[in-house]
Amino acid sequence: MYKKFLSLTKNLTVSLEKGLNFLTTQENNPLYFHGALPLYTFWFLIFSGIMLWMYYIPTLDRAWTSVNYITSLPVLLKDASGQLLLKNGSPVVAAISPATGIPYGAVVRGIHRWGAAAMMITTLLHMLRVYFTDRHRSWRWLPWVSGVLLLMFVLFVGITGYLLVWDARAYSLVVSTQAWLEAVPLIGQGLSNFFIGGDAIRDFTLTRFFFFHIGGATFIFWLIWMHFIRLNEPVVTPSRAVNFLTLGFILVAAGVYPAVNVTNNLIAQYPVLAVDKAFIASDAPAQIGHLVEVIRYDAWYLFPYYLIEKVGVNWAWIILGGATILLFVAPFYPKDRRENIAEVVEAKCTGCTFCSLDCPFEAITMQERAPGSKFKLIAVVFAPRCSECGICVGACPFQAIELPNTHSKTIDADVLALLKTGA
Amino acid sequence: MSELQSASPSEKKKRVIVGFVCERSIPIHDMLDAHQALLDDPETKIIILPCSGMVKPTQMELALANGADATFVCGCAMNDCHYRTGNIMIRERLEGERNPKLRKSTDKRKVGMFFFTMKDKRPFLEALAQFKASTENL
């Protein structure tokens, strides 16, 4: 039943991709680079993040101001119909403090914001694609499990990015997170204190969030290493056309919708910001004890808070925890029969390394033979990693590695038999 | 008019094409008769493998040396091998960029390679017909 479901999802996925091939060509179909795209968008976040880091001050009284300083010059605005505001043929430039600010800082922050959205979108796309095509189970469990951890850390780093701005929304999110953590029996209060860096919100709180954000992003690199460790020659960059398409999407989005801090003064000047700010903007500075009436949720990172608001902290734990557990156990069910694992024919193996180099899942290692042997090395198959694909068999010029149920000799005999009947 | 030109289609010499097909690319299990020949093209006999990367160039040479008029391999669509790199491996082997390669003496015009998804039965048959036509007078 479950396998039939996976078969159906695979059919639908391949049909969708085939349809897209008409538009993009097979070589440049972004859906074939679903694994490389999150990593590609991550680089945008790293570089734009480093630029923002140069000016960000993680203290309660300076955080919002420092972000505001970064983004105060110059910003193109749009009217309610989505058109760029024009005055005498020139774009209107909104400047909160025209004498200060970082040129195009709002665009860099926009790249950070839109890059973050792109990373979550492409990560989810990658995960769904892998799941729907049944490429997450059995010997692929480590890439899947590390991928689930990556998803969690991308979410965590994204959420802490929202907190660093330290606007009114950030404060409300912190209060909501504390309530969520405190719902954990016994250690809840400790978790909450750990989260805010003490028993109350102080300057250390922002330092702690900054650590979570940068430390989490650094940990993502380690997880990516784990994600790739069992993949031979992983695809780490999309095709050139897909690269430019993604680059264009992020740059255009950041140019048209740069990220700014919206104050009441600015809204009075440009009422359109009151409508558009859900996409591009942060609120006024946070004030301890003042929660926003309505939290503006984005589509990609703040859904846990939406859940907390709608169902309460306990149900949010149950739903999010249950979903996480399901994701972690997904690669272990249903179990496949493992009856055709590659076997090395010791007497024939010359230690040439071809099979080891070509194995797509790093299942074959070369080990030293006993002293006095004719050849120095011998291939050894690590069965749990073997996918039974037979690529190693195709790589071996000496018939020294075989799939027991699909033996080369049988294939040769089948070829000859077919020629006999076909002649 | 030469004998060859005047021969009717039924008198044409029967050809044999041997294909090595990945079971996860085209829907090959639904395309064969009881004798491993394609229903749409009985001259083409098929060996089904778990992955196109499992094909040894020597097996294609074996087919040619024993009477096959041409041979081909069909794997998953490029960038989308179920086992990640099988189609890339066989392409590079047949193009001489990765070991083991075809022998230099092998007539490479008789060796074809196709890469299609499970939804590409018709494009595969069209590509196969083109390949057969291109090898007809070799």
Short mmCIF file of all heavy atoms in Angstrom, two decimals, chain A residues 108-144:
data_model
loop_
_atom_site.label_atom_id
_atom_site.label_comp_id
_atom_site.label_asym_id
_atom_site.label_seq_id
_atom_site.Cartn_x
_atom_site.Cartn_y
_atom_site.Cartn_z
N VAL A 108 21.16 44.53 0.15
CA VAL A 108 21.94 43.41 0.71
C VAL A 108 21.09 42.64 1.72
O VAL A 108 21.05 41.41 1.71
CB VAL A 108 23.25 43.92 1.36
CG1 VAL A 108 23.97 42.77 2.07
CG2 VAL A 108 24.16 44.53 0.31
N ARG A 109 20.39 43.40 2.56
CA ARG A 109 19.52 42.72 3.52
C ARG A 109 18.38 42.01 2.80
O ARG A 109 17.92 40.94 3.22
CB ARG A 109 18.98 43.74 4.53
CG ARG A 109 18.29 43.09 5.70
CD ARG A 109 17.85 44.08 6.74
NE ARG A 109 16.77 43.55 7.53
CZ ARG A 109 15.81 44.27 8.07
NH1 ARG A 109 15.82 45.59 7.94
NH2 ARG A 109 14.86 43.70 8.77
N GLY A 110 17.93 42.62 1.70
CA GLY A 110 16.90 41.97 0.87
C GLY A 110 17.42 40.65 0.30
O GLY A 110 16.70 39.66 0.27
N ILE A 111 18.67 40.65 -0.13
CA ILE A 111 19.27 39.40 -0.64
C ILE A 111 19.28 38.36 0.47
O ILE A 111 18.98 37.18 0.25
CB ILE A 111 20.69 39.66 -1.18
CG1 ILE A 111 20.64 40.51 -2.45
CG2 ILE A 111 21.44 38.35 -1.44
CD1 ILE A 111 21.99 41.01 -2.93
N HIS A 112 19.62 38.81 1.69
CA HIS A 112 19.65 37.89 2.84
C HIS A 112 18.25 37.34 3.09
O HIS A 112 18.08 36.14 3.32
CB HIS A 112 20.17 38.64 4.07
CG HIS A 112 20.80 37.75 5.09
ND1 HIS A 112 21.92 37.00 4.85
CD2 HIS A 112 20.45 37.48 6.38
CE1 HIS A 112 22.25 36.32 5.94
NE2 HIS A 112 21.36 36.58 6.87
N ARG A 113 17.27 38.22 3.03
CA ARG A 113 15.90 37.79 3.31
C ARG A 113 15.36 36.88 2.20
O ARG A 113 14.81 35.81 2.46
CB ARG A 113 15.01 39.03 3.48
CG ARG A 113 13.55 38.74 3.77
CD ARG A 113 13.32 38.27 5.20
NE ARG A 113 13.49 39.34 6.15
CZ ARG A 113 12.52 40.19 6.51
NH1 ARG A 113 11.33 40.09 5.99
NH2 ARG A 113 12.74 41.13 7.40
N TRP A 114 15.50 37.31 0.96
CA TRP A 114 14.99 36.52 -0.15
C TRP A 114 15.81 35.25 -0.37
O TRP A 114 15.27 34.21 -0.76
CB TRP A 114 14.96 37.35 -1.44
CG TRP A 114 13.84 38.33 -1.46
CD1 TRP A 114 13.91 39.67 -1.19
CD2 TRP A 114 12.46 38.05 -1.70
NE1 TRP A 114 12.66 40.25 -1.27
CE2 TRP A 114 11.76 39.27 -1.58
CE3 TRP A 114 11.76 36.89 -2.01
CZ2 TRP A 114 10.38 39.35 -1.76
CZ3 TRP A 114 10.38 36.99 -2.19
CH2 TRP A 114 9.72 38.21 -2.06
N GLY A 115 17.10 35.35 -0.09
CA GLY A 115 17.95 34.16 -0.17
C GLY A 115 17.49 33.11 0.85
O GLY A 115 17.48 31.91 0.57
N ALA A 116 17.10 33.60 2.04
CA ALA A 116 16.61 32.69 3.08
C ALA A 116 15.32 32.01 2.62
O ALA A 116 15.14 30.80 2.82
CB ALA A 116 16.38 33.45 4.37
N ALA A 117 14.43 32.80 2.00
CA ALA A 117 13.19 32.20 1.49
C ALA A 117 13.52 31.17 0.41
O ALA A 117 12.98 30.06 0.41
CB ALA A 117 12.28 33.30 0.92
N ALA A 118 14.45 31.53 -0.48
CA ALA A 118 14.83 30.62 -1.57
C ALA A 118 15.43 29.34 -1.01
O ALA A 118 15.17 28.24 -1.51
CB ALA A 118 15.81 31.31 -2.51
N MET A 119 16.23 29.48 0.06
CA MET A 119 16.86 28.28 0.61
C MET A 119 15.81 27.34 1.21
O MET A 119 15.87 26.12 1.00
CB MET A 119 17.89 28.64 1.68
CG MET A 119 18.62 27.42 2.20
SD MET A 119 20.10 27.79 3.06
CE MET A 119 20.70 26.14 3.40
N MET A 120 14.85 27.90 1.92
CA MET A 120 13.82 27.03 2.50
C MET A 120 12.95 26.40 1.41
O MET A 120 12.65 25.20 1.45
CB MET A 120 12.95 27.84 3.48
CG MET A 120 11.89 27.02 4.18
SD MET A 120 12.54 25.54 4.99
CE MET A 120 12.76 26.09 6.66
N ILE A 121 12.62 27.20 0.39
CA ILE A 121 11.79 26.66 -0.70
C ILE A 121 12.53 25.52 -1.40
O ILE A 121 11.98 24.44 -1.63
CB ILE A 121 11.44 27.78 -1.72
CG1 ILE A 121 10.51 28.80 -1.09
CG2 ILE A 121 10.81 27.19 -2.98
CD1 ILE A 121 10.36 30.08 -1.89
N THR A 122 13.82 25.75 -1.72
CA THR A 122 14.56 24.72 -2.45
C THR A 122 14.85 23.50 -1.56
O THR A 122 14.89 22.37 -2.04
CB THR A 122 15.89 25.29 -3.01
OG1 THR A 122 16.61 25.92 -1.96
CG2 THR A 122 15.63 26.28 -4.12
N THR A 123 15.04 23.74 -0.26
CA THR A 123 15.25 22.61 0.66
C THR A 123 14.01 21.73 0.70
O THR A 123 14.10 20.49 0.63
CB THR A 123 15.60 23.12 2.07
OG1 THR A 123 16.77 23.93 1.99
CG2 THR A 123 15.85 21.98 3.03
N LEU A 124 12.84 22.37 0.82
CA LEU A 124 11.59 21.59 0.86
C LEU A 124 11.36 20.87 -0.47
O LEU A 124 10.94 19.72 -0.50
CB LEU A 124 10.41 22.52 1.18
CG LEU A 124 10.38 23.05 2.62
CD1 LEU A 124 9.27 24.08 2.78
CD2 LEU A 124 10.18 21.92 3.62
N LEU A 125 11.66 21.58 -1.56
CA LEU A 125 11.53 20.97 -2.89
C LEU A 125 12.42 19.73 -3.00
O LEU A 125 11.98 18.67 -3.48
CB LEU A 125 11.94 22.00 -3.95
CG LEU A 125 11.82 21.58 -5.41
CD1 LEU A 125 10.35 21.61 -5.84
CD2 LEU A 125 12.64 22.49 -6.31
N HIS A 126 13.65 19.87 -2.53
CA HIS A 126 14.61 18.75 -2.55
C HIS A 126 14.07 17.57 -1.75
O HIS A 126 14.07 16.42 -2.20
CB HIS A 126 15.93 19.26 -1.97
CG HIS A 126 16.99 18.23 -1.83
ND1 HIS A 126 17.30 17.33 -2.82
CD2 HIS A 126 17.85 17.95 -0.80
CE1 HIS A 126 18.29 16.54 -2.42
NE2 HIS A 126 18.63 16.88 -1.20
N MET A 127 13.58 17.88 -0.56
CA MET A 127 13.10 16.82 0.33
C MET A 127 11.89 16.11 -0.28
O MET A 127 11.82 14.87 -0.30
CB MET A 127 12.72 17.45 1.66
CG MET A 127 12.58 16.50 2.79
SD MET A 127 12.59 17.42 4.32
CE MET A 127 13.32 16.21 5.39
N LEU A 128 10.95 16.89 -0.79
CA LEU A 128 9.75 16.29 -1.38
C LEU A 128 10.12 15.46 -2.60
O LEU A 128 9.61 14.36 -2.81
CB LEU A 128 8.75 17.39 -1.77
CG LEU A 128 8.05 18.07 -0.61
CD1 LEU A 128 7.21 19.24 -1.10
CD2 LEU A 128 7.16 17.09 0.13
N ARG A 129 11.02 15.98 -3.41
CA ARG A 129 11.42 15.29 -4.63
C ARG A 129 12.08 13.94 -4.31
O ARG A 129 11.78 12.91 -4.91
CB ARG A 129 12.38 16.18 -5.41
CG ARG A 129 12.35 16.02 -6.91
CD ARG A 129 13.04 14.80 -7.35
NE ARG A 129 13.08 14.67 -8.79
CZ ARG A 129 13.75 13.73 -9.42
NH1 ARG A 129 14.43 12.84 -8.73
NH2 ARG A 129 13.75 13.64 -10.71
N VAL A 130 12.97 13.99 -3.31
CA VAL A 130 13.66 12.76 -2.90
C VAL A 130 12.64 11.75 -2.35
O VAL A 130 12.68 10.57 -2.66
CB VAL A 130 14.75 13.09 -1.85
CG1 VAL A 130 15.23 11.83 -1.15
CG2 VAL A 130 15.91 13.80 -2.51
N TYR A 131 11.71 12.25 -1.55
CA TYR A 131 10.70 11.36 -0.95
C TYR A 131 9.77 10.80 -2.03
O TYR A 131 9.53 9.59 -2.08
CB TYR A 131 9.90 12.13 0.10
CG TYR A 131 8.83 11.30 0.75
CD1 TYR A 131 9.15 10.38 1.74
CD2 TYR A 131 7.51 11.40 0.34
CE1 TYR A 131 8.18 9.59 2.32
CE2 TYR A 131 6.52 10.62 0.90
CZ TYR A 131 6.86 9.71 1.90
OH TYR A 131 5.90 8.93 2.46
N PHE A 132 9.28 11.67 -2.88
CA PHE A 132 8.31 11.24 -3.89
C PHE A 132 8.90 10.26 -4.91
O PHE A 132 8.18 9.50 -5.53
CB PHE A 132 7.73 12.45 -4.64
CG PHE A 132 6.72 13.22 -3.82
CD1 PHE A 132 6.37 14.50 -4.18
CD2 PHE A 132 6.14 12.66 -2.71
CE1 PHE A 132 5.44 15.21 -3.44
CE2 PHE A 132 5.21 13.36 -1.95
CZ PHE A 132 4.85 14.65 -2.32
N THR A 133 10.21 10.32 -5.12
CA THR A 133 10.81 9.39 -6.08
C THR A 133 11.43 8.19 -5.36
O THR A 133 12.21 7.44 -5.95
CB THR A 133 11.88 10.09 -6.95
OG1 THR A 133 12.80 10.75 -6.08
CG2 THR A 133 11.26 11.09 -7.89
N ASP A 134 11.10 8.03 -4.09
CA ASP A 134 11.55 6.89 -3.29
C ASP A 134 13.08 6.78 -3.27
O ASP A 134 13.63 5.70 -3.46
CB ASP A 134 10.92 5.60 -3.86
CG ASP A 134 11.02 4.44 -2.87
OD1 ASP A 134 11.38 4.69 -1.71
OD2 ASP A 134 10.76 3.29 -3.27
N ARG A 135 13.73 7.89 -3.03
CA ARG A 135 15.19 7.87 -2.96
C ARG A 135 15.67 8.26 -1.57
O ARG A 135 16.67 8.95 -1.41
CB ARG A 135 15.77 8.83 -4.01
CG ARG A 135 15.47 8.35 -5.41
CD ARG A 135 16.00 9.25 -6.48
NE ARG A 135 15.52 8.78 -7.77
CZ ARG A 135 15.80 9.35 -8.93
NH1 ARG A 135 16.56 10.42 -8.96
NH2 ARG A 135 15.33 8.87 -10.05
N HIS A 136 14.91 7.85 -0.59
CA HIS A 136 15.26 8.24 0.78
C HIS A 136 15.46 7.04 1.69
O HIS A 136 15.84 7.18 2.83
CB HIS A 136 14.15 9.12 1.36
CG HIS A 136 12.82 8.40 1.47
ND1 HIS A 136 12.08 8.03 0.37
CD2 HIS A 136 12.11 8.00 2.54
CE1 HIS A 136 10.97 7.42 0.76
NE2 HIS A 136 10.98 7.38 2.07
N ARG A 137 15.18 5.83 1.19
CA ARG A 137 15.14 4.69 2.09
C ARG A 137 16.42 3.86 2.06
O ARG A 137 17.32 4.08 1.25
CB ARG A 137 13.96 3.78 1.71
CG ARG A 137 12.62 4.39 1.99
CD ARG A 137 11.48 3.44 1.75
NE ARG A 137 11.39 2.97 0.39
CZ ARG A 137 11.53 1.70 0.04
NH1 ARG A 137 11.80 0.78 0.95
NH2 ARG A 137 11.45 1.35 -1.22
N SER A 138 16.46 2.91 3.00
CA SER A 138 17.48 1.87 3.04
C SER A 138 18.90 2.45 3.09
O SER A 138 19.22 3.19 4.00
CB SER A 138 17.26 0.96 1.82
OG SER A 138 17.90 -0.26 2.01
N TRP A 139 19.75 2.15 2.07
CA TRP A 139 21.14 2.57 2.12
C TRP A 139 21.29 4.09 2.06
O TRP A 139 22.36 4.61 2.28
CB TRP A 139 21.92 1.94 0.97
CG TRP A 139 21.47 2.42 -0.38
CD1 TRP A 139 21.97 3.47 -1.08
CD2 TRP A 139 20.41 1.91 -1.18
NE1 TRP A 139 21.29 3.65 -2.26
CE2 TRP A 139 20.32 2.70 -2.35
CE3 TRP A 139 19.51 0.85 -1.02
CZ2 TRP A 139 19.38 2.47 -3.35
CZ3 TRP A 139 18.57 0.64 -2.01
CH2 TRP A 139 18.52 1.42 -3.16
N ARG A 140 20.18 4.78 1.77
CA ARG A 140 20.25 6.25 1.71
C ARG A 140 19.84 6.89 3.03
O ARG A 140 19.55 8.09 3.07
CB ARG A 140 19.32 6.75 0.61
CG ARG A 140 19.85 6.54 -0.80
CD ARG A 140 18.78 6.88 -1.80
NE ARG A 140 19.33 7.28 -3.08
CZ ARG A 140 19.01 6.73 -4.25
NH1 ARG A 140 18.16 5.74 -4.29
NH2 ARG A 140 19.53 7.16 -5.36
N TRP A 141 19.81 6.12 4.12
CA TRP A 141 19.26 6.67 5.35
C TRP A 141 20.09 7.85 5.89
O TRP A 141 19.52 8.81 6.42
CB TRP A 141 19.13 5.56 6.42
CG TRP A 141 20.43 5.13 7.02
CD1 TRP A 141 21.22 4.11 6.59
CD2 TRP A 141 21.11 5.71 8.13
NE1 TRP A 141 22.34 4.03 7.36
CE2 TRP A 141 22.30 4.99 8.32
CE3 TRP A 141 20.83 6.77 9.00
CZ2 TRP A 141 23.22 5.30 9.33
CZ3 TRP A 141 21.72 7.08 10.01
CH2 TRP A 141 22.89 6.35 10.16
N LEU A 142 21.40 7.80 5.73
CA LEU A 142 22.20 8.88 6.32
C LEU A 142 21.97 10.22 5.62
O LEU A 142 21.76 11.24 6.29
CB LEU A 142 23.70 8.51 6.34
CG LEU A 142 24.58 9.56 7.02
CD1 LEU A 142 24.21 9.74 8.49
CD2 LEU A 142 26.06 9.20 6.91
N PRO A 143 22.01 10.27 4.27
CA PRO A 143 21.66 11.55 3.63
C PRO A 143 20.27 12.05 4.02
O PRO A 143 20.07 13.24 4.19
CB PRO A 143 21.72 11.22 2.13
CG PRO A 143 22.65 10.07 2.02
CD PRO A 143 22.45 9.27 3.28
N TRP A 144 19.32 11.11 4.21
CA TRP A 144 17.97 11.55 4.58
C TRP A 144 17.96 12.11 6.00
O TRP A 144 17.44 13.20 6.25
CB TRP A 144 16.98 10.40 4.45
CG TRP A 144 15.60 10.80 4.90
CD1 TRP A 144 15.06 10.63 6.14
CD2 TRP A 144 14.60 11.48 4.13
NE1 TRP A 144 13.79 11.15 6.20
CE2 TRP A 144 13.48 11.69 4.98
CE3 TRP A 144 14.54 11.95 2.82
CZ2 TRP A 144 12.32 12.33 4.55
CZ3 TRP A 144 13.37 12.59 2.40
CH2 TRP A 144 12.29 12.77 3.25
#
